Amino acid sequence: MSVVVFPFRTEDHQVAIDNITTAAGHHRVDNVVCVGFEREATYEAIDRAIPNIESSTGTEVSLILQERIGSLRPGKGDGMNTALRFFLQRSDSDRIHFYDTDITSFTAEWIDKAEAAADGGYDVVRHYFPRSSTDAMITWMITRTGFAIMSPESELPLIEQPLGGELLFTRRAVERLVADERVRAQSDWGIDTLYTFATVHYGFSVAETYIPRGKIHKMYGSLTDLQTMLVECFAAIQSLRGLSMPTGTRHDVERPAGVPPGVKQTVAYDVEETIQLLAADWTPGQESLLALFPPAVRDGMLESRIYPRFSYMDDRAWFETYAVLLDHFRKNDPDWEALLFKLWIARVLQYTISDALRGYDHALAHLQEMIDRYRMLAR
Ligand code: GDX
Ligand code: MN
């Protein structure tokens, strides 16, 4: 039997309750665990709904608060790690699933697919989804790029959506994750990076299953939210430099069976508003850090203070920029954090105008080739 976890902060109450009910109704599930950040309105709403869900499904639903386990910003990482601990201490089920609480396209089929793959003997199952060509820009430009540069020969850069929060671990995998102090420390948005890293580092087999309908969930709030996620995901990658990675671990990816038209047509961010961020909030500190970067990047960024420019930030320039960032970036230094954000924005805009504009198929092929090229350059 399996445990299903929903980590949550503040979410639409009905969406949360519907997802919990769906999971509790699944015949393979004997406990749904909801891990809240704090006792707020969503927590209270779930608490009130539990008796009904339990009596209609016959499955136990647990509602807990996240513990302080890690050493970085207390966030989703503490939530997920609290669930792993709960699973080892309080459950004798074989498997644990995670799903984001804000998903409105969640169905029992997601659990079926993960269970079926685990039945095939995999230690870890990850769901992946069709995404718009301008979405997943942290995944492509930060995480997959970083994994390609750091570990070109392992399976790590080949994981489709290494930041995805929809996954299954067997008990054997959970025991390793809980015992790893880097994973325990990662209390923030970097947790997804650490789980993906640890999966490959410990040689676990991975199946990636494709959900054609896609993950439909709450849209992003302000870009400030994205800056925090960007910084935490990049710093997580940076912390993993120099760690050994096995090659040839078992990794199978289900072929993507079509992409919904809506996903192909979506522009995932506000281009006009984003362009303006390139010119915003420059400081003398950020300007002097630019001396570390290749001349074309340095000059282009300096010009952006007056008129936003980004054509210089092509695949090759981003590769070189990324290498400088890996060596020099300092988290919690406001100049570095703001500069990382702007460099990434220049990269996303360059890709959008040069490649995403040519259509979905071109754009996705380009991103895939970019990762392959980075792997070759890094060898
Ligand atoms: N317990 C707990 N504590 N839950 C949290 C916290 C926290 O501090 N922060 C967020 N959550 C929950 C949230 O309620 C939701 O269920 C889930 O975690 C994901 O958060 P959301 O705000 O929906 O993030 P977003 O932007 O959708 O990102 C997700 O997808 C990214 C991706 O696929 O690229 C999330 O799983 C990221 O970790 C992942 O990088
Ligand atoms: Mn979400």
Side-chain angles (χ1 to χ4, degrees):
M1 294 295 279
S2 292
V3 169
V4 169
V5 178
F6 292 102
F8 68 96
R9 203 151 171 155
T10 298
E11 299 298 349
D12 183 298
H13 302 174
Q14 199 54 49
V15 171
I17 289 165
D18 288 349
N19 289 338
I20 296 162
T21 308
T22 299
H26 196 282
H27 65 281
R28 288 278 186 103
V29 176
D30 64 0
N31 192 183
V32 175
V33 181
C34 312
V35 188
F37 175 78
E38 61 188 348
R39 202 178 288 270
E40 41 63 85
T42 309
Y43 181 99
E44 302 292 353
I46 293 172
D47 200 23
R48 284 193 301 273
I50 285 177
N52 261 333
I53 300 172
E54 288 187 329
S55 66
S56 68
T57 63
T59 298
E60 184 182 358
V61 178
S62 311
L63 176 62
I64 59 177
L65 285 174
Q66 69 187 49
E67 295 163 35
R68 184 62 179 133
I69 296 173
S71 52
L72 303 171
R73 182 185 62 83
K76 181 168 174 260
D78 272 347
M80 294 180 87
N81 283 334
T82 297
L84 294 185
R85 212 178 247 189
F86 179 97
F87 174 73
L88 290 187
Q89 291 171 355
R90 304 268 302 277
S91 160
D92 55 13
S93 299
D94 310 311
R95 300 168 182 166
I96 185 169
H97 299 233
F98 285 97
Y99 301 103
D100 284 358
T101 309
D102 65 328
I103 302 171
T104 53
S105 55
F106 181 72
T107 64
E109 199 202 337
W110 296 34
I111 300 175
D112 290 338
K113 280 199 111 167
E115 288 286 325
D119 290 347
Y122 294 92
D123 301 305
V124 177
V125 184
R126 308 181 54 94
H127 287 323
Y128 80 106
F129 310 89
R131 298 187 72 169
S132 132
S133 64
T134 44
D135 193 7
M137 287 294 107
I138 297 182
T139 295
W140 285 108
M141 303 305 180
I142 299 294
T143 313
R144 293 197 66 177
T145 292
F147 284 162
I149 293 174
M150 269 174 13
S151 186
E153 293 177 358
S154 78
E155 292 301 306
L156 206 46
L158 304 179
I159 304 272
E160 290 285 335
Q161 286 167 8
L163 296 180
E166 292 69 36
L167 46 143
L168 173 154
F169 295 114
T170 53
R171 182 167 285 271
R172 193 169 93 86
V174 173
E175 282 164 354
R176 272 306 178 90
L177 291 174
V178 167
D180 185 310
E181 62 188 49
R182 288 165 301 224
V183 171
R184 275 203 309 273
Q186 199 75 42
S187 45
D188 61 8
W189 287 119
I191 192 61
D192 305 294
T193 306
L194 267 285
Y195 282 179
T196 303
F197 150 78
T199 297
V200 177
H201 181 68
Y202 291 118
F204 290 122
S205 54
V206 192
E208 297 193 78
T209 49
Y210 184 75
I211 306 279
R213 197 179 153 206
K215 168 174 158 180
I216 303 167
H217 62 128
K218 182 184 71 209
M219 295 311 275
Y220 288 118
S222 76
L223 283 156
T224 321
D225 298 347
L226 219 50
Q227 179 169 338
T228 304
M229 199 181 272
L230 170 77
V231 164
E232 293 180 354
C233 289
F234 180 78
I237 295 273
Q238 196 186 26
S239 76
L240 298 172
R241 269 183 317 162
L243 290 168
S244 69
M245 281 300 190
T247 56
T249 51
R250 184 175 171 209
H251 173 210
D252 295 307
V253 183
E254 183 183 347
R255 203 182 292 278
V259 177
V263 172
K264 286 197 172 184
Q265 288 155 14
T266 298
V267 181
Y269 70 93
D270 183 332
V271 177
E272 187 174 355
E273 205 168 286
T274 303
I275 285 177
Q276 297 174 35
L277 293 172
L278 275 182
D281 299 327
W282 281 94
T283 61
Q286 291 172 46
E287 288 164 16
S288 61
L289 291 174
L290 284 174
L292 294 163
F293 291 89
V297 171
R298 179 196 63 208
D299 296 345
M301 291 298 281
L302 285 173
E303 284 177 37
S304 293
R305 293 172 305 171
I306 297 143
Y307 183 84
R309 285 205 42 215
F310 44 82
S311 60
Y312 51 88
M313 196 62 99
D314 58 12
D315 289 7
R316 186 66 196 226
W318 181 242
F319 181 84
E320 289 165 4
T321 299
Y322 203 103
V324 174
L325 288 166
L326 278 176
D327 284 341
H328 296 280
F329 176 77
R330 284 178 39 206
K331 189 158 170 264
N332 301 323
D333 176 330
D335 284 331
W336 264 122
E337 293 192 354
L339 188 60
L340 169 66
F341 188 53
K342 287 198 190 88
L343 289 163
W344 172 74
I345 282 178
R347 174 62 188 140
V348 171
L349 287 167
Q350 191 279 341
Y351 155 79
T352 301
I353 302 301
S354 301
D355 297 294
L357 215 55
R358 298 196 204 179
Y360 179 86
D361 295 328
H362 168 90
L364 268 286
H366 180 91
L367 290 167
Q368 195 60 60
E369 285 159 18
M370 172 188 84
I371 297 301
D372 290 342
R373 229 171 6 254
Y374 288 169
R375 289 170 61 226
M376 288 199 295
L377 285 169
R379 270 169 208 251

